[in-house]
Amino acid sequence: MAFVIYELNGNPISLAVTRAWRPKIEETAGNTPEDIDFDFYHMNGYTGVYWNYRGLVYYLVSDLPEKVNIHQLLDWSAS
Amino acid sequence: MKECEEIKVLMDIYLDGEFGEEDTQRIQNHLSTCSGCSEIFEKRQQFLNLLKESEIRKEVPPGLELSIRSKLRKTELQQQKKPSFLKARSILAMVLLLAGIAGVGLYVLQKFPFGSEEDADFLRVVTRDYKDYLRQELPLEIQSSDREEVIRWFKNKVNFNLILPSFRDRNIKLLGGGD
Ligand SMILES: [Zn+2]
């Protein structure tokens, strides 16, 4: 699993990436950024969002307030 | 490949120690020769161990139960499309799962709160890593704000080609990463 850290005004945001293990994910995963389905979760006081993209699973977690929709700021144009 | 699909379904029952000698042998044989499945198996096993040692989740956020039910329903529908061998096992697994919800709801919420065990497994690990990072117990192995450099660093560290997004908001900066 790749564990990457970003920062927004001093608040760390982590993005963990791993390979999709289920063929189901590969079938239904968004192959274009517009197709991505975001799932939200709460765990141990943190809010997170996870999604599939081109055979990979992404988990984003931060201690930012829920209303900061970081995932909407993702830019895949360089990938 | 077809064998792998079966093994992945049977793995959980195997982990619960509910198989006879023949099935156990078959799974063990497969795991000893298939690195893909054995990797998944190890992750699930780790998850079960993690579950045993982790504290029971006490409060359930509103709406979560509903989302679990809807995910279970989706899973059920998908299972129905599978071949009969799997179907029988899957239905059995589903019945056990539903019985579990009625009986030990909290445990099931703990185990399957996010649609699949793997999701829950990873979310747990990810949240723990994040917490460790905040406590400065998880130093970054590569410190760089250069996306390409970070991707290159991961090249031999992870077994997939990392696709890393950037962020449209220039205030969000890449700090680095680790594996
Ligand atoms: Zn296999």
Side-chain angles (χ1 to χ4, degrees), chain B residues 32-88:
Chain B
S32 65
T33 55
C34 174
S35 61
C37 285
S38 75
E39 197 180 309
I40 294 167
F41 177 74
E42 269 166 39
K43 278 184 190 142
R44 292 192 187 176
Q45 199 166 36
Q46 278 168 12
F47 170 65
L48 281 180
N49 293 339
L50 213 72
L51 189 70
K52 276 176 207 150
E53 47 188 68
S54 73
E55 72 285 356
I56 294 283
R57 182 193 177 89
K58 296 244 163 42
E59 45 161 340
V60 177
L64 181 59
E65 200 194 348
L66 216 71
S67 116
I68 294 158
R69 283 184 198 290
S70 113
K71 286 202 168 160
L72 279 175
R73 248 194 324 270
K74 270 192 226 161
T75 314
E76 204 169 20
L77 286 170
Q78 276 153 9
Q79 302 286 10
Q80 283 168 4
K81 291 175 195 154
K82 290 190 175 166
S84 58
F85 168 74
L86 287 184
K87 199 172 155 188

Side-chain angles (χ1 to χ4, degrees), chain B residues 6-14 19 26-27 89:
Chain B
E6 266 177 38
I7 295 294
K8 277 178 219 164
V9 174
L10 303 180
M11 224 176 249
D12 288 324
I13 310 175
Y14 172 67
F19 270 157
R26 193 180 137 214
I27 291 175
R89 304 263 187 185

Side-chain angles (χ1 to χ4, degrees), chain A residues 6 13 60 70-71 73-75, chain B residues 165-170 172:
Chain A
Y6 297 84
I13 299 161
L60 195 151
I70 316 157
H71 65 283
L73 301 170
L74 291 167
D75 179 6
Chain B
S166 36
F167 284 91
R168 276 197 286 274
D169 187 335
R170 294 276 159 236
I172 302 181

Side-chain angles (χ1 to χ4, degrees), chain B residues 66-122:
Chain B
L66 216 71
S67 116
I68 294 158
R69 283 184 198 290
S70 113
K71 286 202 168 160
L72 279 175
R73 248 194 324 270
K74 270 192 226 161
T75 314
E76 204 169 20
L77 286 170
Q78 276 153 9
Q79 302 286 10
Q80 283 168 4
K81 291 175 195 154
K82 290 190 175 166
S84 58
F85 168 74
L86 287 184
K87 199 172 155 188
R89 304 263 187 185
S90 305
I91 288 170
L92 178 66
M94 197 53 66
V95 167
L96 289 173
L97 193 63
L98 291 173
I101 289 174
V104 278
L106 205 59
Y107 176 75
V108 172
L109 281 174
Q110 167 95 339
K111 198 171 178 182
F112 300 97
F114 303 104
S116 89
E117 237 175 272
E118 288 87 353
D119 286 333
D121 180 3
F122 278 109

